[in-house]
Amino acid sequence: MDTKAVTGPVQKPNATTPAQQPSQASNVLLQATPLLQPGQQLGPLQPTSNLGSVQQTSNPAGTYQQPNPQTNYGAVQQPNPQTKQVPFQPSNQQTSLVPYQQPNPQTNLGAWQRPTPLSKLAPNATHQLIRGDRSMLMMSDDNALVSHILGSHTPDGRDVDVKPLLRLVEDILRRATLTPESLLTTGSQTYLDSGFDDKTHHTSFLAMLEALSYTIDRIACELAYKALGGTDAHQTTVAICNMVSHYGWDAKLVLALAAFGLNYGEFWLLAQIYSTNQLAKAMAILKQVPGIIEHAVPLKPRFDALNDLIRTILEVTWCVIEFKDLPSIYITTDVPALASAMIHIPTAVYWTIRSIVACASQISSFTNMGYEFAFSTSEAWELSTLTHKLKTILEHLKKKMEECIRYIEERMDVESYQMLVELFKMIHIDNMRVLKALICPRDDVLALVDGTTKKRVNLDVLRRKNVLLLISSLDITQDELSILEQSYNESRLHEMRLQSPYEIVWIPIVDQLTDVKQRHFEVLQAPMTWYSVYHPSIISKASVKFIREEWHFRNKPILVVLDHQGRVVSPNAIHMMWIWGSHAFPFTTLREEALWREEAWRLELLVDGIDATILNWIKEGKYIFLYGGDDMEWIRKFTKEAKAVAAATRIPLEMVYVGKATKREQVKRVIANIEQEKLSTCWQDSATIWFFWTRLEGMLFSKIQLGKDEEHDLVMQQIKRVLSFDREGSWAVLSRGSSVLVNEHGNILWPALFEYEQWKEKVALEGFDIAFQNYVAALRGNSHPCSRFEFSNYAGKIPENMKCPECHHYMEKYTTFLCCHDEGIVPSLLALATNN
């Protein structure tokens, strides 16, 4: 966005004009300027034949210059188009700028007059300055006032790193800014604090200071001279801005503040050491410092107001510098937040320098009018009014800075995200580059905590190892952690680990970390035996976005497997952990496919590693009913008829209740009733029931992740049937040994058992197995139960479509809102949502 400085004739501010916000015409961009080289001339004001100054006396009364006896110049003059070197004027030859007009005798703004040395008029003149400044504060028109700044803003490209200078000035002001209480003991204090180390004065800083010292001295003299002469604050502000017209906005403020620091520091230096140094004592008496210290407590309102204004001046100055330091690669001036800030920075610069002038006037009032005048509460009011105005400006700039920072962070996050995407497509020598980009790119940060030693370690401990990234929210359950720890410990004892070492790293994803979440994180981290990031905050927003979008993380734990080169060899191996445990090592997609090729639809697939008793029954060749649901009446009828049929056919039958995927509390009540009525065997441990259903759901997600053909995959179809039946109500699986005979809904199984008399003759001819299967199939043909699935938002990668396990048609999609009040936990990944 191209912008131009607004220049032109500027009229004297009208004291009766109400204050306005800066206009769009004052939109001048922050401009950088190169560092002055030592010895480079700053260009003092040169006399010309066409200066046309506004004068009242024959002596110069403007900025501090080496006077020319033949020329009378004081203020910034009308520029001569033929004059090339006029450092106090804009360099645009088409612009006619008159920074200050002859004061109107009817306006009480304070005349620009030659001071009367050592007379009684000097205090009155300074008082006139303060009263005039009050009128300007109350009735100022910011547009007119700031136009002077804009007209003189002609940066020539010099770039000055003013931060070291500002730190030095800040150190001066911090040591000089005292409270009335400390003033009472100032004379006997010796300051041994070494806050600003001389070693920080590098050659480049000293060279810069040498180049700027002339300008700083001129501004310091201007501040002191105009305060003594009673010149109004606006005129002094404009004069100072003219002196620094070729600098950027940040440099203008720092140079003016440095000049003030010279005068302010000198005054308080005398106050601090006059009682212990004879030279300082004589100078302090000359400046009436002992009287000020003696009456420090009554002067508290003045000191408080002055200190508050100085602090605000520093804050505004740092804020303007921050705007200059914003990285142009991520934000430009066409961004609304930065464009708006640039419009208001000239206003901030004007009122900050104006406030510096007011502070300098207060110091002059101490030394020239004595403490009697300093008791005036109205002068403290003036400082407080300026403070309020500056704080209002600062609040607006800070708001825009926050918007700019958010914009920059978004741009940086997008860039980092794209870098991660490309990084995982590349081939690397080892895994360090991808791990650093994903977890923590800084080499000086010990990003991990070793679960064994509980000490922080560097990411280098993972170099050239297979890494399993356990990614979860803080909602990961103790059941999940227990199963993972068991598999982790078993797999580390595996012989293959010696050939292919691997480590688990826990990466918690926390959107907004609160104190409660921080404590929860520490509780989860403490018992972990594997590595974990030392704090959730080190995971960048870009990494979180990558994990969510590329690895489909949805708050349920996932286990992303990286090989020793940082390649993703499994986008989520947690299903393998649930199904096969350490037998799935090294947890790659190839290993997952190989394990499925070895599997068949048999009872061991459902209960392997869960119940050793059932495995013994399988070896004995018994008939086994696994059943579930929460309908207690159905359970009573089902178990009664199953026992009756088993007795009639003389088959060895065992029954085990395995609960439901959800409704834990209700399942507990069902288990209590089954135990009390001795209906069948049941799993007492809720963790066992949770693991059974988690494994089943893991099997389905594993199949989906591998992209298996549903229609021709018997295992997948049967798993889907069990999960769908669980959502619909009651169900049962009957096996003989490991061979599954029937997998059916409860509404079909109970009638099949209840109607045993209708098919008992077939038992003698065909055997129990075939007779029962045929009768169940006949009943199924007469009914058409719905198949239902729901994939929670926490489930990770959700399939685009799914076929019905009964008719093999694609199922319809519905959106379901589910509120589970059972025990305040997130419902199972699968729930009733999709109908065929």
Side-chain angles (χ1 to χ4, degrees), residues 30 160-170 173 248-261 308-326 342 344-345 347-357 359 390-391 393-395 397-398 401:
L30 182 65
V160 182
D161 181 13
V162 294
K163 289 190 287 292
L165 177 58
L166 180 57
R167 293 190 193 98
L168 179 62
V169 174
E170 196 171 29
L173 297 177
W249 296 114
D250 59 326
K252 294 179 194 290
L253 290 179
V254 175
L255 290 173
L257 196 55
F260 169 70
D308 194 19
L309 181 54
I310 291 173
R311 283 192 294 268
T312 308
I313 289 171
L314 284 168
E315 286 188 64
V316 174
T317 303
W318 278 114
C319 189
V320 172
I321 290 176
E322 288 174 2
F323 275 106
K324 179 191 175 184
D325 290 344
L326 290 177
M342 292 301 99
H344 289 84
I345 280 180
T347 305
V349 170
Y350 174 86
W351 284 108
T352 303
I353 296 179
R354 179 79 166 265
S355 300
I356 291 172
V357 173
C359 292
L390 271 190
K391 286 183 176 180
I393 295 172
L394 178 62
E395 182 180 356
L397 290 180
K398 283 185 174 180
M401 174 58 72

Side-chain angles (χ1 to χ4, degrees), residues 317-560:
T317 303
W318 278 114
C319 189
V320 172
I321 290 176
E322 288 174 2
F323 275 106
K324 179 191 175 184
D325 290 344
L326 290 177
S328 59
I329 190 174
Y330 296 113
I331 190 169
T332 56
T333 51
D334 58 351
V335 176
L338 184 55
S340 176
M342 292 301 99
I343 292 174
H344 289 84
I345 280 180
T347 305
V349 170
Y350 174 86
W351 284 108
T352 303
I353 296 179
R354 179 79 166 265
S355 300
I356 291 172
V357 173
C359 292
S361 299
Q362 294 296 313
I363 297 300
S364 296
S365 71
F366 288 157
T367 59
N368 291 281
M369 290 178 283
Y371 62 87
E372 295 89 350
F373 175 76
F375 285 154
S376 173
T377 57
S378 63
E379 319 316 328
W381 177 88
E382 298 293 345
L383 298 178
S384 299
T385 304
L386 279 169
T387 303
H388 175 73
K389 187 169 187 68
L390 271 190
K391 286 183 176 180
T392 301
I393 295 172
L394 178 62
E395 182 180 356
H396 177 78
L397 290 180
K398 283 185 174 180
K399 180 180 177 181
K400 295 303 173 183
M401 174 58 72
E402 291 174 358
E403 294 177 11
C404 290
I405 291 175
R406 283 196 298 270
Y407 179 86
I408 292 171
E409 287 178 347
E410 290 172 1
R411 291 284 304 276
M412 294 177 69
D413 289 342
V414 170
E415 182 181 88
S416 299
Y417 170 77
Q418 292 299 331
M419 181 198 70
L420 279 170
V421 171
E422 297 301 321
L423 204 58
F424 275 92
K425 294 179 181 178
M426 300 167 59
I427 298 176
H428 308 280
I429 298 176
D430 58 27
N431 55 5
M432 279 295 95
R433 189 175 177 189
V434 294
L435 288 176
K436 287 181 178 180
L438 186 69
I439 299 176
C440 182
R442 294 177 53 183
D443 293 329
D444 60 332
V445 174
L446 301 177
L448 302 179
V449 172
D450 188 331
T452 304
T453 64
K454 305 304 178 184
K455 294 181 179 179
R456 289 178 59 179
V457 294
N458 197 282
L459 283 171
D460 283 334
V461 297
L462 305 176
R463 187 181 296 274
R464 298 194 66 79
K465 291 183 179 181
N466 295 314
V467 178
L468 278 62
L469 301 176
L470 174 59
I471 302 170
S472 75
S473 68
L474 297 183
D475 294 328
I476 187 171
T477 66
Q478 289 298 329
D479 291 338
E480 291 168 324
L481 290 174
S482 298
I483 298 299
L484 283 170
E485 183 174 8
Q486 179 182 346
S487 300
Y488 173 72
N489 292 335
E490 290 177 359
S491 61
R492 289 181 69 85
L493 299 176
H494 200 282
E495 293 181 0
M496 292 180 62
R497 182 185 176 277
L498 299 176
Q499 303 172 6
S500 181
Y502 84 95
E503 300 290 349
I504 291 181
V505 178
W506 180 43
I507 300 180
I509 304 299
V510 184
D511 293 330
Q512 293 182 344
L513 190 65
T514 62
D515 291 340
V516 174
K517 290 183 178 180
Q518 171 67 28
R519 289 192 293 271
H520 190 192
F521 163 75
E522 293 170 356
V523 169
L524 289 174
Q525 185 187 47
M528 290 182 177
T529 57
W530 48 73
Y531 291 105
S532 60
V533 298
Y534 86 92
H535 197 271
S537 61
I538 69 170
I539 306 300
S540 67
K541 291 181 180 179
S543 295
V544 172
K545 181 181 178 181
F546 178 84
I547 289 170
R548 291 189 183 279
E549 295 191 7
E550 299 298 322
W551 293 342
H552 308 287
F553 171 72
R554 299 291 185 272
N555 290 356
K556 292 296 290 183
I558 64 173
L559 198 65
V560 180

Side-chain angles (χ1 to χ4, degrees), residues 99-141:
Y100 189 77
Q101 304 294 328
Q102 179 68 24
N104 188 335
Q106 299 178 357
T107 304
N108 183 20
L109 293 178
W112 184 7
Q113 58 186 4
R114 176 187 178 189
T116 305
L118 301 177
S119 70
K120 295 181 180 180
L121 294 177
N124 294 334
T126 306
H127 204 178
Q128 183 183 18
L129 161 64
I130 297 173
R131 290 181 181 275
D133 192 41
R134 183 185 310 160
S135 176
M136 292 287 284
L137 279 172
M138 298 175 63
M139 306 298 295
S140 64
D141 180 344

Side-chain angles (χ1 to χ4, degrees), residues 10 60 132-133 169 202 227 241 274 293 308 324 379 448 495 497 557 562 579 654 732 786 801 808 819 826:
V10 181
D133 192 41
V169 174
H202 300 296
C241 289
Y274 83 96
I293 295 176
D308 194 19
K324 179 191 175 184
E379 319 316 328
L448 302 179
E495 293 181 0
R497 182 185 176 277
L562 308 180
I579 302 167
E654 301 288 349
C786 291
N801 49 58
H808 307 300
C819 184
V826 177

Side-chain angles (χ1 to χ4, degrees), residues 564-579:
H564 65 282
Q565 291 181 298
R567 293 177 300 184
V568 177
V569 292
S570 177
N572 188 7
I574 201 163
H575 311 307
M576 282 189 276
M577 279 281 196
W578 300 151
I579 302 167

